[in-house]
Amino acid sequence: MLNAYVNNNGEITSHETPSILSGNRGHLYGDGLFESIRIINGKPVNLKHHITRLMDGAKALKIECPNHFGSVFFETEIKKLIKTSNLTDGGKCRLSIDRSIGGAFLPAVNSCTYHIEIQNLSKNYFELNPVGLKLDVYQEIKLYKNFLSSYKTKNCLAYVMAALKAKENNLDDVFMTNEKRQIIESSNSNVFIVHNGVLYTPSLEDGCLAGTMRMQIINLALINKIKVYECNIMPQNLLSAEEVFLTNAIKGLQWVGSFRSKNYSNAMARKFVVLLNEYWQKKTLSEKNKIIK
């Protein structure tokens, strides 16, 4: 059973204890960043890539982090929380960095605080959704590329509105586009399409998030000699694809069953779920065995 705790700037307390202080800039202005990290066999996975993106994002926001902030430091802090919370199998972690309290739109200081919370998941490994998702294109808000597009900032209203629109239309998610009508992501995931056995995914130059799971799928494809290209994807390209799947750090892969009147299969998605689980099973159990020895 999970005992719920949070790590607020190094202090571990019960999740029932208020931990976000009045004046927190992440709460007031969205002045911060976050990472969603999957836990498998009680171990945070893909952590190096998450922390690299987090620290790069902090630099972009001009948030000054201590020199010791990095993969080793945050892995230690996350593992403390996992141990205290008695989490031994699957879970998820949210790691946040906010600019320190003070100022209004113009910050008083640029130092930072961090906050970590975890939740257990019923599934230890990644599982493919049994029923394909239904998606359409979200038209109301376009995503414009800027120097923050690659990072997970706390300014997420476009994604919130897209998710609400999907629910209103009895859809599972929606594709989001940039000002050129190019598909760049969904409300919570990166996008891959499959055509003639080749993977295609929107380019970072088009404005999509530099997803950690996106990166891992690309790397697994290259290792397994599956061709993969970063390129422009238009809505009409969805109509010629045999498969479409979404990727994010927590759910891994989710296959899309339909886009409007077009239906898809899921053979490639199933293959990647197997490859992902084999990879992380080996890594997390190997680490666990080292600790036992």
Side-chain angles (χ1 to χ4, degrees), residues 116-132:
I116 308 170
E117 54 189 302
I118 63 172
Q119 296 177 9
N120 66 320
L121 294 175
S122 59
K123 307 298 182 184
N124 188 21
Y125 291 103
F126 296 112
E127 287 193 4
L128 195 64
N129 46 310
V131 178

Side-chain angles (χ1 to χ4, degrees), residues 12-258:
I12 295 180
T13 61
S14 167
H15 79 289
E16 296 176 351
T17 303
S19 57
I20 301 298
L21 298 177
S22 174
N24 174 271
R25 293 187 60 84
H27 169 70
L28 293 177
Y29 304 108
D31 190 7
L33 305 119
F34 72 98
E35 290 291 325
S36 300
I37 302 162
R38 179 67 184 247
I39 297 169
I40 294 175
N41 290 322
K43 309 295 179 188
V45 303
N46 224 2
L47 193 58
K48 183 178 179 180
H49 290 138
H50 282 289
I51 302 305
T52 296
R53 182 172 65 181
L54 186 67
M55 292 298 99
D56 288 347
K59 288 179 184 177
L61 287 178
K62 303 186 187 300
I63 294 176
E64 298 169 357
C65 297
N67 290 333
H68 65 273
F69 276 19
S71 296
V72 174
F73 172 77
F74 282 116
E75 182 174 19
T76 301
E77 294 300 293
I78 291 169
K79 285 183 174 179
K80 278 189 210 173
L81 193 58
I82 288 173
K83 183 176 180 181
T84 304
S85 300
N86 195 32
L87 179 61
T88 58
D89 292 316
K92 61 181 180 178
C93 167
R94 180 183 169 102
L95 166 60
S96 298
I97 281 183
D98 298 318
R99 201 184 313 267
S100 296
I101 292 171
F105 287 124
L106 177 63
V109 295
N110 288 318
S111 56
C112 70
T113 61
Y114 69 89
H115 188 272
I116 308 170
E117 54 189 302
I118 63 172
Q119 296 177 9
N120 66 320
L121 294 175
S122 59
K123 307 298 182 184
N124 188 21
Y125 291 103
F126 296 112
E127 287 193 4
L128 195 64
N129 46 310
V131 178
L133 307 180
K134 294 192 299 181
L135 275 79
D136 205 334
V137 176
Y138 180 58
Q139 306 285 0
E140 282 83 344
I141 299 176
K142 305 296 181 185
L143 298 179
Y144 290 82
K145 183 183 184 308
N146 59 58
F147 68 95
L148 297 177
S149 298
S150 294
Y151 311 116
K152 297 192 76 169
T153 72
K154 292 191 172 180
N155 182 4
C156 299
L157 275 177
Y159 302 104
V160 171
M161 299 310 297
L164 287 171
K165 188 68 173 183
K167 184 178 180 180
E168 289 172 3
N169 290 322
N170 295 314
L171 299 169
D172 298 295
D173 202 348
V174 286
F175 295 110
M176 303 188 73
T177 64
N178 60 19
E179 75 281 8
K180 299 176 183 177
R181 296 184 63 249
Q182 297 163 341
I183 288 173
I184 56 174
E185 54 199 16
S186 81
S187 72
N188 57 37
S189 300
N190 286 112
V191 177
F192 286 82
I193 70 172
V194 183
H195 181 63
N196 289 334
V198 178
L199 283 180
Y200 300 89
T201 191
S203 167
L204 298 181
E205 294 302 313
D206 293 336
C208 73
L209 177 75
T212 58
M213 185 57 66
R214 173 186 181 274
M215 181 188 300
Q216 183 162 24
I217 294 301
I218 291 173
N219 289 336
L220 283 173
L222 295 174
I223 290 169
N224 288 275
K225 303 189 185 313
I226 299 170
K227 291 182 180 179
V228 55
Y229 296 100
E230 298 178 77
C231 60
N232 305 140
I233 295 179
M234 304 298 292
Q236 55 265 35
N237 296 129
L238 297 172
L239 300 176
S240 61
E242 292 92 47
E243 290 188 46
V244 178
F245 60 82
L246 311 179
T247 65
N248 67 43
I250 302 302
K251 293 181 179 179
L253 273 73
Q254 291 188 293
W255 69 286
V256 176
S258 62

